[in-house]
Amino acid sequence: MLSSLSLSLSLSLSLSLSVSGGFNIWAITPEERGKHDKQFDSLSPTLGYVSGDQARKFFLQSGLPASVLAEIWALADMGRDGKMDRLEFSIAMKLIKLQLQGQPLPSSLPVIMKQTPVPSMTSSARFGMGSMPNLSVMPAMPMLTPLPLALPMPLIPDPLSISNSSSTTSLASNSPKTGACDWAVPQSSRLKYRQQFNSLDKLMSGYLSGPQVRNALTASNLTQTQLATIWTLADVDRDGQLRAEEFILAMHLVDMAKTGHPLPLTLPADLVPPSFSEFSLSVSLTLSLSLSVSFEDKLKENFQRGSMELEKRRLALQEEQREEERRRQKEREEQERREREARELALRRQREEEQRMERQKEMERRREEERLKDLERQEVHLPLERQRRMEWERAKRAELQAQREREQRDIERLTARKRSLELELEAVGNKHKQISDCLREAQSKRRVQRAELELINQRRDGRIADINSLQLQFEGVCKSLSLSVSFSGGGVSDMKQSVSEKDLSCRKLKEQLDALERETTAKLCEMERYNRDMKELRERQRQQQAVLEQLSRVKAEKVKELQRRRQEQEERRRREEEEQSTVTQSVFHLTSLQHHHCAPLTFQVDESTVREPGWLYGSYGGKSGWFPESYAEKINKDMTDPTAVLTHTTAPPCNFNTTVQESSCVEDTFAIAVCAWTANTESHLGFSKDDVITVLEQQENWWYGELGENRGWFPKTHVSMVTTNNFHTDPESGDLTFRAEDVILVTEKEGEWWKGCIGDQSGLFPSNYVKPKDSDVCATYIAQVTAACIATTAEQLSLTPGQLILVLHKNSCGWWLGELQARGKKRQKGWFQSSNIKLLEPNSVCQVIAMYDYKAASEDEMSFLKGQLINVLNKDDSDWWKGELNGVMGLFPTNYVKMTTESDPSQQWCADLHSLDSMSSEERKRQGYIHELIHTEQTYLQDLELVLEVFYKPMAESGRLTEAEMAVIFVNWRELIMCNTKLLKALRVRKKTAGERMPVQVIGDILSSELAHMQAYIRFCSCQLNAAALLQQKTDASPDFKLFLKKIATNYRCKGMPLSSFLLKPMQRITRYPLLIRNILENTPVGHVDQANLREALERAEELCSQVNEGVREKENSDRLEWIQNHVQCEGVIEHLVFNSLTNCLGPRKLLHSGRVWKTKSSKELWAFLFNDFLLLTYTSKQFSSSSDKLFSPKSNTMYKMYKTPVFLNEVLVKMPSDPSSDDPIFHISHIDRVYTLKADSINERTAWVQRIKAASEHFIETEKLKREKAYQARSQKTSGIGRLLVTVQEAVELKPCKPNGKSNPYCELSMGAQCYTSRPQNDTLNPKWNFNCQFFIKDLYQDVLCITIFERDQFSPDDFLGRTEVPVATIKKDQEGKGPLTRRLLLHEVPTGEVRVRLDLQLYEQTPLL
């Protein structure tokens, strides 16, 4: 009865709360709304809304079916716009919570859910137990009149109503003493679990979620069913979270379960937390508060509150409008003030401009008046002056004519002497040339004799080896004979016969050996004779050189004597002019008619000249003329002095800054300090820069002077002399005078008067008399310094002979403005005297050094000696340049000189001085050596091609040599061209990638890659001695052939060099590579990205040189390989095999053993050749002739065919027979798919075969192992950098075919510095699909370059080159920005066809900022 009554009471209470707007299951509390707002903000709403996708993903986390969530969305989306604001989102969350609690969804949205959340009023606020937030906020929506409640409240609160009273729960949780006596949980447990709750509630939110409580509950080791029951009982308000008292209740239930007590099905009343038992009190308080306030009171209060808010906003808006109006008024006043100031400034400037124009017009009017007066004065005295000048010119002309005749006779006499000296010099030169030709011929004969001697020595060694082998065989036969005497009588006769034959052959070999020794002795004697001849020729050459030097000294002395005579004649002529002009003269001081700021100058007056009243005739500085007497004043002198002195009232022209003082009057001497000097003793005089010192006494290097009150000695090198006549203290003496079109270097701008300088003059000048100089007004010139000059001011240039100056402007006063072109230094701009330089033509900005002496063959040519510097004036003709040497200009051949920059390669590669100046000295040298490598490689390749065009084709077409002889001389010349063409193309591609005239950062990878494919040089250099011997033999035997070679060598492209000189170039080039690479490496800084590549390239270059040297030393091995090449017919896979070349990975191919073997079953005779990389089995296609039955005989005409495919030694296993004591010399060779059972000639021969095959196989396998380990270490090494590059080589298309069937076996090699990866080869295809992945670590974004190279896998020689391409990492970064990984098709260079497709993904690490 009591339970039914409680249920009806709770239903009526729920209905009354729903009607009155109080507590309702559909109402959203402020705490729930705050929680919903946080969840809404976590979804990152856009413009206050969340989209349907965002809400859908969040709602699905509740676990409700999609159909139920769709109904909730339809109820909550009040605007039907497919998105939710904060209210709609809160409604949806409330509906989801009620649905999870089992409450069915309403058919329509309740009105209470659309209202603003109403805070709950607790009993504590009613009865003074504390204040709760938002207690005064009342609902804004109208509410119905609540129904009265007459029934008591239930003892146990309903969970749904408890969930809507969070404030009461929170208060109760914060006050654990409330109802503590009625709660069955012990006080000790409450305190312990309260501390555990506080430790878990790190955010201090007042509740714990399921994941936070899970660890505490699972630590009890209870079953999942028990833990689920405990959670259901402890979560009293069914909100999925545990508050403090709920957590304490849950842990108390865990303790009960662990002690063995059964868990109750429903929560007993004594275990209900105290905060939840006070729910009836809070409900009654809320209802009483809602009943005490009527609807009209609430409406009126809300209206008053809204009116007050509107009034407040209206006042704030008016205040903002007034503030905006005040601000605009201030802006208008400020704008008017600025406009008024601008107008005033413009008017002031206009008035100043008008005043300046008026002053300028007045000055021009005065100048015009003065000019007209000067013209009038000149017209009066013009006829008399003209007559005097004509008479003086006639006398001067006659004197000059006589002097010219005298000089002409001297010149003719010296010219005749010069011609005779030149004839003598030419005769000596011809003699020197003859001696040089004889010397070269003797040297060539010596080389040939040395080659022949080496051949003879080799033959002798071979014969000695044959004799030793025959002796060993003879001893073996003797031993076997002694053993078999007792057994076979008939065998003894046979044995004796064989012994006699062996003795006969030994005697023959000894005779041949003696003949060889005699021939060797004769050759040695002949070489000694040649050495003596060469010494005599060298001695004669030294004597001729001494004669040449003596003649050169005589010529130089004659030239100096001629110059000295000319100078004496000029000095004599000058003295005569001075004597003629020094008649009775008076000394005057002349004043200028132009300016009044300069000092007086001394002027010599000829009083004997007939003159007009008021005018005087005088001279100054070598010039004579009339001047007005009123402008000068006579100087007072003794009667013995025939000169007179005049004073003046105006100053002399500014052109005459100095005064020529010829009177004996005493004047003060002053010196200006050009730099500071500190006195070391008491007798010294110290001073600062620009101090004026009065000089009292002068000695050789020390002067005695006075400065202020101090006197003392000082060095004269620290001062410059001035006199009282050119030193002024007038405040207006600092003005600068100039002429129209002059250029002034402005040093300071201040007001209308600026400070500037022209040459050695500096001072003030009006700014309205000048205008800015246009940069393109005048053309620039290049000038060369001829005389040294030291700058006296900071605006002047200090010059050294030979320097180059860029002339910027030419002033009429003789001071020019220019820029000093000094490499390696900062460019300087300043003034210099035009008399110290000479202008050069536009193409003359370089110098060359003579490598040989040259004698002019015509009048327009010039002669020079070795080592002289020639100034190049014109380069229009590539073979003949125009130059200047010691004042003599003419043409000279370019192949007789070299550029001066070759001594310093840092200046060869770039003509831009600014680019060179921005680099360090080490980098300039590095780039110079790289340029030298590329340039010399191009020249060397041109020489190789020249040999084919100039020598090979005419010799082949003439028929003077057979094809075999041509092959001996030129060997594999075309292969050399192919090797160096690939290298040059790779270098050009790298240079093109870097840019023309731009530095090349990385080159070592190309060198290390291409030097590995230079195996053709091994064969050529090993055959070079045979080629030289054959060529010399043909030349000596056939005069017609010798004349033919000389005729074709006259081609201008050969530059006078014979064929033998060109045949030496490959050997010279291959030995030059280590030197060039070492120079580049030495100038590469430590840590540079190219340093590791250059070290590897240097190792390969030195290894190649050692291989070539070894090939030359192992001439016998090379000859035998050449013999095999000519006598073994290769078919199938080895059709194009070159025996005398490099192997794939073991260096040069070597013949380790050879001989005859038989197959065991068929007894077929085979000839085996064991190389260091494979074993070749052959059979004879033509039987040996009776005359030669040995391998490698030059007279042998036997041909061999390949029996089976060659057996590679890294795939072979050699075994002895199962019974090693057997006398049958059998051994087994096991390959991958077949086994050869072979029989040797003897047991010893079998042992030799087995041991050598085993050793070669082990060496091959070990070499491959080391190669793989090196590549693995390079890839596995941990590399730090700024990022990484992921590369996927997908495929290649249209590659170059290399195999006879038109296919290839291509594989790809990717490298970046020391990092290298290699893909697997694809067999028989021109369009391989690799899909090969690798990654590279980036060290330098702007220097690292990804190199992709395609090779053809070749088992018998180094892999063939199929193309190469490069991609700078900086380009990848630029193309990938904002796009992610990119796929590119890259064209392969250095080959006619082919491209590769790669996928590139550059990933840069984030740079951690330094703290």
Side-chain angles (χ1 to χ4, degrees), residues 121-127 280-290:
M121 184 180 300
T122 62
S123 60
S124 61
R126 183 76 174 179
F127 297 100
S280 59
L281 180 60
S282 63
V283 170
S284 61
L285 291 174
T286 304
L287 291 178
S288 63
L289 182 61
S290 61

Side-chain angles (χ1 to χ4, degrees), residues 277 391 445 1081:
S277 62
E391 292 175 357
K445 289 182 179 180
L1081 181 59

Side-chain angles (χ1 to χ4, degrees), residues 30 71 188 200 367 393 714 739 781 783 832 1024 1035 1096 1306:
E71 294 179 7
S188 59
L200 294 176
R367 280 200 214 98
E393 287 178 354
F714 59 90
R739 297 180 181 179
Y781 303 91
F832 61 94
Q1024 191 174 12
T1035 304
E1096 183 179 359

Side-chain angles (χ1 to χ4, degrees), residues 38 46 128 161 219 270-271 292 360 441 626 716 913 942 971:
K38 291 180 181 179
T46 303
S161 60
D270 58 344
L271 290 179
S292 64
Q360 185 175 358
E441 186 176 357
W626 293 92
K716 72 173 186 179
L913 300 181
Q942 291 174 356
V971 198

